[in-house]
Amino acid sequence: MHQVFITALRVGIVAAFLFGLFGQIVVIPTTAADEVDRFPPYAPFAAPYVTVAIVGVACIQVALVAVWMLLTMVRRDAIFTPRAFRWVDIIIGASVVATLLALGVTGHLALADIPSPGDGMDLISALFAAAATVGVGASFAMLVVVMRSLLRKATDLQTEMAEVV
């Protein structure tokens, strides 16, 4: 892979990581506090939902670090080694944890009696957004599992070719 592409990807990873950190420290808690100020019955739900959101963003950050490490392996031409599987497994694990968090939020929104200002469309929208997040997260995890199996086959082929040569 060309060095320019690796550098561009790393810049993007750093930007995404810092953006997530800003979201964890500033955006998520501030938004929750504003919602509680706007509608006080949300107060009991603020802390658990803030915690889930912050942990969800942390899952993305863990995956970004794993991608960084895989890029390092690509740059060193060492991607087809057993060490790469550890980083791919971390990406799969982080996506599964984030998907399970979204599934928990979806279940809570569907089953809990959450008060709502107005007609309740904001809760229905949040429920559909959480359900969509579960679908996207599960799809991503399955895609990475498929990519892992392709990496396994490529690694096995390269090892076999090295033995032949």
Side-chain angles (χ1 to χ4, degrees), residues 33-59:
D34 289 346
E35 286 299 313
V36 168
D37 287 343
R38 186 177 71 83
F39 191 66
Y42 281 163
F45 304 103
Y49 276 86
V50 165
T51 303
V52 167
I54 289 172
V55 172
V57 173
C59 289

Side-chain angles (χ1 to χ4, degrees), residues 95-96 98-100 131-145:
S95 64
V96 167
T99 302
L100 290 174
T133 303
V134 170
V136 169
S139 298
F140 178 77
M142 289 185 285
L143 174 67
V144 177
V145 167

Side-chain angles (χ1 to χ4, degrees), residues 11-162:
V11 168
I13 288 170
V14 169
F17 191 91
L18 292 175
F19 182 72
L21 196 59
F22 178 73
Q24 289 170 309
I25 294 169
V26 177
V27 175
I28 294 170
T30 303
T31 302
D34 289 346
E35 286 299 313
V36 168
D37 287 343
R38 186 177 71 83
F39 191 66
Y42 281 163
F45 304 103
Y49 276 86
V50 165
T51 303
V52 167
I54 289 172
V55 172
V57 173
C59 289
I60 294 168
Q61 291 170 322
V62 166
L64 289 171
V65 169
V67 170
W68 181 284
M69 297 307 294
L70 287 169
L71 283 174
T72 300
M73 294 181 80
V74 167
R75 186 173 48 93
R76 293 181 184 152
D77 201 26
I79 193 68
F80 298 117
T81 62
R83 284 185 355 158
F85 294 102
R86 174 179 14 159
W87 298 110
V88 174
D89 290 341
I90 288 171
I91 294 169
I92 292 168
S95 64
V96 167
V97 169
T99 302
L100 290 174
L101 287 171
L103 182 62
V105 168
T106 303
H108 185 260
L109 289 172
L111 301 175
D113 187 26
I114 300 173
S116 176
D119 60 2
M121 285 304 293
D122 51 350
L123 287 177
I124 292 171
S125 299
L127 175 63
F128 282 117
T133 303
V134 170
V136 169
S139 298
F140 178 77
M142 289 185 285
L143 174 67
V144 177
V145 167
V146 169
M147 298 300 288
R148 184 187 189 284
S149 68
L150 292 173
L151 178 63
R152 167 70 63 202
K153 287 182 182 186
T155 302
D156 291 345
L157 285 173
Q158 184 176 22
T159 303
E160 187 177 315
M161 290 299 289

